[in-house]
Amino acid sequence: MNGRAKRSPWFITAFLLIIFLVGWHVATLRPAFNPQGKTEEELLLLEFNGDIVATDDGNYMWNPEKIKGVPGPLSVLDKVVTELGEAFEKKGTNDHGIAYLVYYTVSRFAVGFLAASVVAIVLGIFLGLNRMLFQAVNPFIQILKPISPLAWMPLLLYTVKDPTMTSVLVVFMASIWPTLATTAFGVNSLKKEYLHVASILQLSWFKRLYKVILPGAAPTIVNGLRISFGSALVAVVPAEMLLGELGVGYLSWIEWNNLDISGVIFAILVVGTVGMILDSGFNKLAGLVTYQE
Amino acid sequence: MAYLIIDHVSKFFPGHEGDGTVCIFKDVTLKIDQGEFVTVIGHSGCGKSTWLNISAGLETPSEGGIILNGREASGPGLDRMVVFQNFALMPWLSVFENIAIAVRSAYPDWTKDQVAAHVKKYIELVGLQGAERKRPVALSGGMKQRVGLARAFSIEPKVLLLDEPFAQIDALTRGTIQEELIQMWNATRNTVFMVTHDVDEAILLSDRIMLMTNGPSSRIAEIVDVNIPRPRSRETVIEDRNYYKVRNHIIHFLVRHAKHGETGGEGELGQTIKYEPLQVTF
């Protein structure tokens, strides 16, 4: 019974995927070119524009080189295969293989996110431990928190004068607030008994911090990190687009500039996959520090 | 001189309406001898837990202070260990680590092996062998409080403060743990100050039972001596001829008289009326 319960969602997942792919394929299918009702002149114009090409048997067909509308799953698959085949190639200044692009994005993301997390956790602990300080600083947090991280970008770019640094800082701004707020909350709402035990046992300030406060607030802090993680992942794509920094977000934009819609879809899929892999890695880490009550 | 003196302690909280203060209790004095087991019984809200927290140094009294062994004890310390109603075990630590963190604090210069042996001894004393590596979440309420007791006894405190220690444990398990507590206490004869709702528990464990009037402005109305010979067990205490006299007296007090003490504090002409607790012996 257990095995069955475990197996069935996979069937549903696969089923939904197939439905989606078939639906996508059918929706993007174009009927074969039908020359009926078109004058010789019209056909010549279409051929001249490159919309249709003459086939060997004297008929016409749609020009496969000139794609109109949303590409179907097969052409996207074609693109995926090509791109993955060239994953480790650098063809030009702006034409790096997908593996490089993922690497750029992930490292940009990691630096910004980790720096923000460290700053946010340290600040959050101080704010959580000191109610008055928290109340004093809270108005600033409340104003800064809802600002889209991208809104900082012109100012950051102007100040640091370096797009790479700016994109890291955008990720930083995106991921600092949720962690800061939840860390302060988690530390502040830590059960009083734990602190009572710590003070009866005369634990030193440092021991109290890493034996009681940090592990006690860890589940809440991890929740904040998870929210930060998501918002940083969301911010990194437009940051790359706007700054022209090589990465998977940039890929989506440059494929749009190339009018390669299959490429855009491929970029979207890569962003999703990278996000999923990072997220599952994060969940594994989170599982190590959380506890059940 | 008494070992632990709760000396003229008062506690006021700011009132809910903003102005003025609410008096939880006023000018309470209690002297406990070394090795004595003293219990406080009272209705919810009479401030007995506040009283215990003040003794532990976890709350500060508005007036008065705590004297332990001739010295003022301010702030929490290893000499007054609390067993908490909701266990207060760290859920991220194993049973062993929960006790070991206390042992390491109490004996900072012990080696790892000494700490481990000491922890093991107390884990065995409460019958939790085999559960050392478990997290508190995997334990029943009774087992959690066994860990709480082992942690408290393991640091060999001068005074044990028990804050309704068995209130969250089912009745059958409660009886078993009470007897385990008696055995542990017989071995160590710590000074114990306990707060409880449970009359039978109080009689089984205590040398003296303080009966408190209802809050606010609660006070000790009576002090009941429990002259049932030790060692006691749940089976033998109820055979004692005084058991039901003591029990009925306490229950009558709680039902009939506890709320009569509300007028305590200031007399009509503003002079303080001094209430001396009534000594009751059977």
Side-chain angles (χ1 to χ4, degrees):
Chain A
M1 162 152 189
N2 229 344
R4 216 175 134 189
K6 267 182 191 163
R7 210 162 54 226
S8 51
W10 283 104
F11 278 114
I12 298 170
T13 309
F15 180 69
L16 289 175
L17 180 67
I18 289 165
I19 294 268
F20 171 73
L21 288 175
V22 168
W24 181 15
H25 180 72
V26 170
T28 52
L29 220 51
R30 291 178 83 191
F33 179 71
N34 184 2
Q36 250 175 0
K38 289 198 166 59
T39 61
E40 199 73 8
E41 268 177 46
E42 282 173 332
L43 287 173
L44 270 174
L45 188 63
L46 281 168
E47 189 177 9
F48 180 72
N49 283 341
D51 289 327
I52 52 176
V53 282
T55 50
D56 295 338
D57 52 2
N59 288 322
Y60 291 102
M61 60 176 275
W62 292 110
N63 183 358
E65 302 283 305
K66 186 172 177 182
I67 297 160
K68 278 186 174 178
V70 177
L74 292 176
S75 47
V76 172
L77 182 70
D78 201 39
K79 177 77 180 172
V80 171
V81 172
T82 332
E83 286 291 342
L84 290 184
E86 304 167 343
F88 294 97
E89 281 175 36
K90 279 187 185 177
K91 288 194 206 156
T93 336
N94 270 353
D95 193 3
H96 291 190
I98 190 66
Y100 288 106
L101 297 185
V102 168
Y103 167 71
Y104 300 145
T105 300
V106 168
S107 48
R108 180 173 297 137
F109 171 84
V111 172
F113 176 73
L114 289 178
S117 301
V118 170
V119 172
I121 290 174
V122 170
L123 272 179
I125 287 170
F126 278 110
L127 296 184
L129 289 176
N130 190 332
R131 198 162 183 81
M132 208 157 76
L133 190 64
F134 179 69
Q135 280 167 344
V137 176
N138 200 29
F140 297 111
I141 299 178
Q142 293 308 322
I143 286 187
L144 293 172
K145 199 170 70 170
I147 300 174
S148 163
L150 296 170
W152 292 101
M153 205 160 65
L155 183 64
L156 293 172
L157 195 54
Y158 175 74
T159 333
V160 301
K161 297 181 178 68
D162 172 42
T164 312
M165 200 57 207
T166 304
S167 60
V168 169
L169 282 173
V170 167
V171 173
F172 181 91
M173 291 311 271
S175 46
I176 191 165
W177 307 114
T179 308
L180 177 60
T182 49
T183 303
F185 172 75
V187 170
N188 188 253
S189 58
L190 190 66
K191 275 197 185 162
K192 290 287 167 280
E193 295 97 60
Y194 302 151
L195 298 174
H196 282 168
V197 171
S199 52
I200 290 171
L201 295 179
Q202 305 276 291
L203 298 183
S204 63
W205 186 88
F206 187 63
K207 254 193 168 173
R208 190 171 304 200
L209 185 67
Y210 85 95
K211 286 269 187 193
V212 180
I213 294 171
L214 271 181
T220 325
I221 295 176
V222 165
N223 272 339
L225 287 174
R226 199 190 305 274
I227 299 169
S228 285
F229 193 90
S231 88
L233 212 51
V234 166
V236 73
V237 168
E240 284 173 356
M241 285 183 178
L242 288 168
L243 290 165
E245 282 290 288
L246 284 182
V248 288
Y250 177 70
L251 175 67
S252 166
W253 194 250
I254 204 151
E255 295 290 29
W256 161 245
N257 283 340
N258 295 341
L259 278 179
D260 183 351
I261 306 301
S262 297
V264 172
I265 295 174
F266 169 67
I268 292 171
L269 290 176
V270 172
V271 171
T273 314
V274 169
M276 188 184 75
I277 292 168
L278 288 178
D279 203 45
S280 72
F282 179 81
N283 283 340
K284 286 226 168 63
L285 280 177
L288 295 177
V289 296
T290 46
Y291 57 87
Q292 277 182 295
E293 266 195 81
Chain B
M1 193 173 166
Y3 192 62
L4 175 71
I5 305 173
I6 295 163
D7 194 22
H8 299 282
V9 169
S10 306
K11 181 73 181 179
F12 307 101
F13 281 135
H16 285 297
E17 275 73 41
D19 51 331
T21 54
V22 177
C23 173
I24 308 301
F25 47 79
K26 198 171 175 187
D27 201 21
V28 172
T29 297
L30 172 62
K31 292 173 180 171
I32 302 177
D33 290 324
Q34 186 156 24
E36 202 181 11
F37 199 124
V38 173
T39 298
V40 171
I41 290 193
H43 287 278
S44 295
C46 75
K48 53 191 190 305
S49 282
T50 311
W51 205 20
L52 186 129
N53 282 341
I54 288 175
S55 309
L58 299 172
E59 284 184 48
T60 46
S62 307
E63 291 167 6
I66 306 295
I67 298 166
L68 176 61
N69 202 11
R71 286 186 181 188
E72 184 183 4
S74 61
L78 288 155
D79 47 2
R80 284 155 293 139
M81 183 64 188
V82 182
V83 176
F84 295 86
Q85 181 180 355
N86 42 16
F87 322 125
L89 302 175
M90 317 279 174
W92 54 91
L93 297 180
S94 66
V95 167
F96 182 89
E97 276 300 317
N98 262 293
I99 302 172
I101 192 175
V103 174
R104 273 185 225 117
S105 315
Y107 307 103
D109 41 353
W110 277 11
T111 64
K112 213 177 158 188
D113 293 338
Q114 276 175 305
V115 171
H118 194 72
V119 173
K120 194 164 166 276
K121 180 181 142 196
Y122 280 91
I123 284 179
E124 277 166 15
L125 210 59
V126 293
L128 282 176
Q129 308 90 303
E132 289 95 337
R133 300 274 147 237
K134 282 185 181 160
R135 297 281 170 101
V137 69
L139 304 179
S140 66
M143 287 164 89
K144 280 183 197 163
Q145 197 57 297
R146 285 188 175 102
V147 180
L149 286 171
R151 179 175 65 182
F153 275 97
S154 72
I155 66 171
E156 292 158 351
K158 288 180 179 157
V159 178
L160 262 178
L161 301 163
L162 311 181
D163 184 9
E164 299 181 35
F166 309 122
Q168 295 197 0
I169 298 166
D170 71 274
L172 291 173
T173 315
R174 191 185 303 160
T176 321
I177 302 188
Q178 282 164 355
E179 294 206 326
E180 287 171 11
L181 172 61
I182 293 178
Q183 281 164 16
M184 289 167 87
W185 183 71
N186 279 338
T188 58
R189 288 285 167 162
N190 292 74
T191 309
V192 184
F193 178 42
M194 179 169 82
V195 161
T196 188
H197 283 125
D198 186 332
V199 177
D200 293 303
E201 177 175 292
I203 301 172
L204 175 67
L205 299 170
S206 321
D207 297 313
R208 283 192 291 155
I209 301 173
M210 317 274 144
L211 305 181
M212 287 191 88
T213 64
N214 289 357
S217 297
S218 63
R219 58 188 176 82
I220 305 172
E222 297 183 9
I223 299 176
V224 181
D225 287 325
V226 184
N227 288 324
I228 299 172
R230 294 186 188 271
R232 300 175 192 162
S233 76
R234 272 180 304 158
E235 256 189 314
T236 56
V237 284
I238 53 169
E239 308 290 342
D240 192 277
R241 62 192 172 83
N242 282 330
Y243 183 81
Y244 281 99
K245 284 185 202 161
V246 175
R247 190 173 190 276
N248 292 349
H249 180 84
I250 294 173
I251 288 174
H252 281 155
F253 172 87
L254 291 174
V255 175
R256 289 182 197 156
H257 306 302
K259 58 179 171 292
H260 293 177
E262 282 165 6
T263 51
E266 305 282 306
E268 264 177 38
L269 296 167
Q271 84 273 34
T272 309
I273 299 174
K274 202 72 182 146
Y275 285 100
E276 277 303 315
L278 192 68
Q279 284 282 348
V280 184
T281 314
F282 289 95

